[in-house]
Amino acid sequence: MLELYFAHVNTMMNLPEKSDVAIAGGGLLGRLLAWQLLEAGHRVSLYDAGSFTESASAAHTAAGMISPISEAIDTEPLMYDLGLVGLEQWPQWLAQLSVESLPVHYAHQGSLILAHHRDQSLLQQYAHDMKRQLPESAQGQWLDKASINALEPDVADHFQQALFFSQEAHIDNRQLLSALLTRIQQLGGECIANTAVDVSANTIQCLDAGTVKQVDCVLDCRGVGAKVQWNGVRGVRGEIVRVQTDEIRLQRPVRLLHPRYQLYVVPKLNNEFVIGATQIESEDNSPVSVQSALELNSALYTINPAFAEARIVEMTSNLRPALNDNRPQIQYDNGLVKVNGLYRHGYLLAPVVVQHVLDLLQGKTTNSPFNDVLLKPIDVSQKRIASHA
Amino acid sequence: MNTETIQNDPLTLYGEHLSSRFLLGTALYHSPQAMCDSIAASGCDIITVGLRRQSPKDNSGDHFWQLIRDTGCKLLPNTAGCKSVKEAITTAEMSRELFETNWLKLEVIGDDYNLQPDPFGLLEAAEQLIKRGFKVLPYCTDDLILCQKLLDVGCEVLMPWGSPIGTGLGLMNPYNLKTLRERLPHIPLIVDAGIGSPSQACEAMEMGFDAVLLNTAVAKSQQPEQMALAFAKSIEAGRSAYRAGLMEARQTASPSTPVVGQPFWHNG
């Protein structure tokens, strides 16, 4: 029964050439999909409740790590398999942008996992979880003090041991978001800012103006903003600090294990560093608390005391969009595709999610091993109730 | 017969009868779904919930809290992370309002790193909160005098640690724990914190503790749901063993098969 429905939707979803597509949400997913659909020759309108240049999306706040191994250890092994698609896809996408003179900093330099001497057991546990859950190809490498120093001379001397995941990467997220916006505009995509919308099959409605637009397909990429129309989407609060200093250089993300927090420092352009992130089950989007600021800054300080003289250029909180199982999901029906739940893995999982949405829109029946995990037809019974309401 | 015995053996806390002797925490799971599955597998009646101070007052509408409510378990709010009496009381009042219960797991933390309870602050906070109408379940060390004083100020349940929170070191000081059990025979005692494996939980139950509260060992396991089930079984096993009466360890081997028919001189 489900299979029949699945096949049916796939056939119907086959977007004809030069279709009109409306996308709600101009964060990472919205921009990537808008860009790819424009490149494929479709007409795209991209709506955002806020601004495109000063984006309020989680993707703007994020640190931009593409770390399938660390994320899999922290959450579940599935993230490793999904994330590998990301590691493969990002360089290709960025090459495409680079041809258009839109360079985006992407470093495939691995990442370093550290623990203070008294928290060595956490590093052992981390290695144990890695060994047990992940394949041979994902096993990190143990480093001693000298090797840590050779890789990252600016990491403080008191770290005796580290794990190194050479496959992992990181991306300058803000440079990417801005490059995508430029490219979307170059390709004639219409970007409509400060416009909250409601989505339904083939229809997008601007809430303030009350105007309704009919299109061939609507994509809902609003993250936490989709909550009103997707029961089950929740926000998970995260807080970050962004500092700037010329005294310290890091080539790669450094994660610090601690009994209660997971902290990381990710180098950005212009000698900036993002330190994150708290993870609080709350949809409170108020400014960073003193407690979190203390935790984040003291972690930074222990990685190198010279960070004490860095300048805090930003402290922000935001909400990660998540579903109950903290996995991404693509819900689809004729004329409507809803994508959500990338949680704390936005840059890691965007490629695999975008690929699946594009395949779905093209009516491709693929043998992707992730179809079962990612794709969910919008429940028929739920739809019936909604239409009678 | 066995099932009946277990059914006739409810855990009674502040006059309320509970069928499970396993209390589970709701932090640190890799997803809310994993948390809900673990709670279901554990069969527990009581789950602890932490209230981070950042949470807004109106977070009753938040999806996560709704999931917690939907488990159908009795909620035991805790004052996790509070370091002073005043902070603990403020958090307790907020929790009472939010979760609509006067039950409280009282934590007053003395050491920021290993989250060791501050016995002095704990006693003072317990006294004040009981006056304010709370039913306090204090997270305490295994010190007999502290436990007696907590009872003096009106606590009816005690929750001594096995070892510091999140360490998984198990029952670090069995002598102290046995002393508590012997000296406070009629007080419900719950081992809270430090339990890392089902065998440690079982050991606590065999010692006669009334229940076990834990979080990290389940939440951070690679298969939380399976681990919750493992703990549920071990806690039940430990309780049954305690009720059945454990044999005393003996210095010499004693055959469990009858020796009738063997010549007496072989017994020497």
Side-chain angles (χ1 to χ4, degrees):
Chain A
M1 181 68 194
L2 193 71
E3 260 173 34
L4 276 177
Y5 186 71
F6 180 85
H8 171 68
V9 169
N10 257 357
T11 332
M12 298 304 286
M13 193 63 82
N14 201 347
L15 273 187
E17 272 180 37
K18 295 190 182 170
S19 289
D20 275 319
V21 180
I23 301 178
L28 178 63
L29 280 181
R31 288 183 201 210
L32 283 169
L33 284 163
W35 170 46
Q36 288 295 308
L37 290 167
L38 285 161
E39 296 277 9
H42 299 293
R43 287 186 294 268
V44 176
S45 339
L46 181 60
Y47 295 80
D48 198 281
S51 151
F52 284 96
T53 44
E54 297 295 319
S55 176
S57 73
H60 182 78
T61 315
M65 283 186 289
I66 299 154
S67 36
I69 304 170
S70 327
E71 290 300 305
I73 296 170
D74 280 352
T75 60
E76 57 171 332
L78 172 72
M79 297 303 150
Y80 175 72
D81 300 318
L82 293 173
L84 286 185
V85 178
L87 278 180
E88 211 169 298
Q89 181 67 75
W90 278 116
Q92 294 173 30
W93 277 346
L94 299 183
Q96 241 179 305
L97 286 171
S98 168
V99 169
E100 310 299 333
S101 308
L102 292 166
V104 175
H105 179 70
Y106 177 85
H108 199 175
Q109 305 262 27
S111 53
L112 209 56
I113 318 294
L114 300 172
H116 288 297
H117 184 62
R118 61 181 175 183
D119 296 327
Q120 278 306 302
S121 64
L122 296 176
L123 201 55
Q124 299 301 334
Q125 176 78 49
Y126 207 78
H128 174 80
D129 290 349
M130 168 185 78
K131 235 183 190 145
R132 211 184 132 145
Q133 299 188 69
L134 298 176
E136 195 59 41
S137 53
Q139 303 299 311
Q141 182 191 342
W142 281 105
L143 301 184
D144 61 9
K145 198 169 158 178
S147 319
I148 298 171
N149 197 260
L151 269 183
E152 292 289 1
D154 282 350
V155 163
D157 283 344
H158 54 81
F159 293 101
Q160 305 288 329
Q161 239 188 347
L163 270 169
F164 178 53
F165 297 134
S166 61
Q167 302 99 310
E168 300 193 333
H170 66 284
I171 188 168
D172 195 290
N173 52 320
R174 293 187 177 175
Q175 205 186 9
L176 173 80
L177 290 174
S178 126
L180 286 172
L181 181 63
T182 307
R183 188 66 192 140
I184 288 165
Q185 286 165 337
Q186 281 174 0
L187 290 164
E190 190 187 5
C191 295
I192 303 136
N194 304 313
T195 306
V197 294
D198 254 3
V199 300
S200 51
N202 303 107
T203 308
I204 193 147
Q205 184 186 5
C206 301
L207 291 178
D208 282 347
T211 51
V212 171
K213 190 176 172 188
Q214 296 294 327
V215 290
D216 297 306
C217 189
V218 174
L219 307 183
D220 184 358
C221 305
R222 289 175 293 173
V224 178
K227 199 176 144 72
V228 280
Q229 288 195 282
W230 187 334
N231 187 19
V233 170
R234 76 183 199 287
V236 180
R237 178 179 166 93
E239 296 152 295
I240 60 118
V241 176
R242 215 175 162 101
V243 302
Q244 199 276 333
T245 175
D246 297 336
E247 288 180 44
I248 296 167
R249 294 273 187 281
L250 292 178
Q251 301 303 315
R252 51 186 64 75
V254 172
R255 287 179 189 245
L256 183 65
L257 303 182
H258 183 278
R260 287 183 301 287
Y261 327 114
Q262 281 279 342
L263 298 154
Y264 53 74
V265 181
V266 184
K268 295 283 158 194
L269 293 177
N270 309 319
N271 298 327
E272 289 190 1
F273 299 85
V274 172
I275 304 98
T278 58
Q279 191 164 305
I280 302 164
E281 281 291 350
S282 164
E283 294 186 343
D284 169 10
N285 208 9
S286 61
V288 177
S289 70
V290 171
Q291 166 105 19
S292 298
L294 283 169
E295 288 169 8
L296 295 170
N297 284 317
S298 59
L300 182 66
Y301 180 76
T302 61
I303 285 175
N304 186 333
F307 270 120
E309 276 307 311
R311 294 297 181 258
I312 297 174
V313 292
E314 197 180 314
M315 282 212 257
T316 328
S317 68
N318 210 332
L319 300 180
R320 309 171 178 94
L323 296 165
N324 284 353
D325 56 6
N326 286 350
R327 293 175 174 184
Q329 201 179 101
I330 302 165
Q331 291 192 352
Y332 63 96
D333 196 355
N334 295 330
L336 178 65
V337 179
K338 297 161 44 155
V339 196
N340 219 314
L342 271 67
Y343 183 43
R344 52 184 257 187
H345 316 292
Y347 289 86
L348 180 69
L349 302 186
V352 73
V353 168
V354 166
Q355 272 181 14
H356 281 75
V357 173
L358 293 174
D359 286 346
L360 188 69
L361 291 175
Q362 287 164 18
K364 268 194 206 166
T365 314
T366 64
N367 297 324
S368 158
F370 308 122
N371 281 346
D372 282 349
V373 175
L374 295 176
L375 298 177
K376 309 274 178 240
I378 291 174
D379 184 50
V380 188
S381 57
Q382 206 180 337
K383 223 174 58 183
R384 197 163 46 237
I385 294 162
S387 64
H388 286 171
Chain B
M1 172 75 182
N2 262 345
T3 321
E4 200 182 316
T5 315
I6 291 161
Q7 276 169 357
N8 290 335
D9 176 33
L11 170 67
T12 306
L13 305 175
Y14 283 104
E16 224 169 283
H17 304 303
L18 304 149
S19 62
S20 170
R21 292 175 176 272
F22 185 5
L23 292 79
L24 191 58
T26 54
L28 305 172
Y29 295 87
H30 70 76
S31 73
Q33 193 62 55
M35 174 189 80
C36 292
D37 295 344
S38 303
I39 292 169
S42 73
C44 64
D45 297 321
I46 296 183
I47 52 177
T48 60
V49 287
L51 178 76
R52 279 291 293 245
R53 295 292 297 274
Q54 289 99 324
S55 303
K57 277 211 154 169
D58 63 353
N59 74 2
S60 53
D62 278 7
H63 186 76
F64 182 74
W65 297 117
Q66 197 50 50
L67 283 177
I68 292 220
R69 283 203 173 82
D70 290 347
T71 60
C73 291
K74 183 177 178 63
L75 302 186
L76 178 59
N78 67 28
T79 57
C82 289
K83 294 179 196 82
S84 70
V85 174
K86 193 176 166 207
E87 211 184 344
I89 290 172
T90 310
T91 308
E93 290 289 2
M94 280 165 72
S95 296
R96 174 155 67 178
E97 202 176 304
L98 256 168
F99 299 110
E100 294 162 352
T101 173
N102 57 359
W103 282 43
L104 182 77
K105 172 181 164 179
L106 179 62
E107 274 186 52
V108 180
I109 297 304
D111 184 277
D112 205 22
Y113 192 73
N114 73 357
L115 303 177
Q116 178 156 349
D118 165 7
F120 309 100
L122 181 68
L123 189 64
E124 193 185 328
E127 186 169 17
Q128 291 195 34
L129 286 165
I130 288 164
K131 282 183 188 151
R132 287 170 183 239
F134 282 92
K135 291 181 170 161
V136 174
L137 294 88
Y139 164 57
C140 52
T141 56
D142 51 20
D143 183 89
L144 174 65
I145 310 307
L146 168 64
C147 288
Q148 283 171 334
K149 286 185 187 284
L150 285 165
L151 296 174
D152 291 345
V153 299
C155 293
E156 292 180 22
V157 179
L158 298 172
M159 303 211 291
W161 67 358
S163 44
I165 294 176
T167 57
L169 289 169
L171 310 180
M172 286 272 280
N173 196 333
Y175 172 79
N176 274 11
L177 291 171
K178 275 182 194 154
T179 305
L180 288 182
R181 183 66 292 171
E182 279 166 19
R183 295 290 299 275
L184 309 170
H186 304 301
I187 303 298
L189 296 177
I190 301 172
V191 170
D192 178 5
I195 300 291
S197 67
S199 59
Q200 294 164 351
C202 189
E203 189 188 354
M205 297 306 292
E206 285 176 4
M207 280 166 76
F209 279 82
D210 294 277
V212 168
L213 195 167
L214 57 96
N215 190 161
T216 311
V218 168
K220 296 305 270 181
S221 118
Q222 287 155 22
Q223 305 283 343
E225 188 182 354
Q226 211 175 322
M227 189 59 90
L229 187 64
F231 270 106
K233 287 177 175 168
S234 75
I235 288 166
E236 220 177 280
R239 180 65 184 175
S240 292
Y242 172 71
R243 301 236 319 157
L246 289 155
M247 65 173 282
E248 292 297 322
R250 294 170 196 169
Q251 289 305 317
T252 51
S254 114
S256 52
T257 44
V259 288
V260 176
Q262 279 187 8
F264 290 113
W265 58 86
H266 279 192
N267 284 346

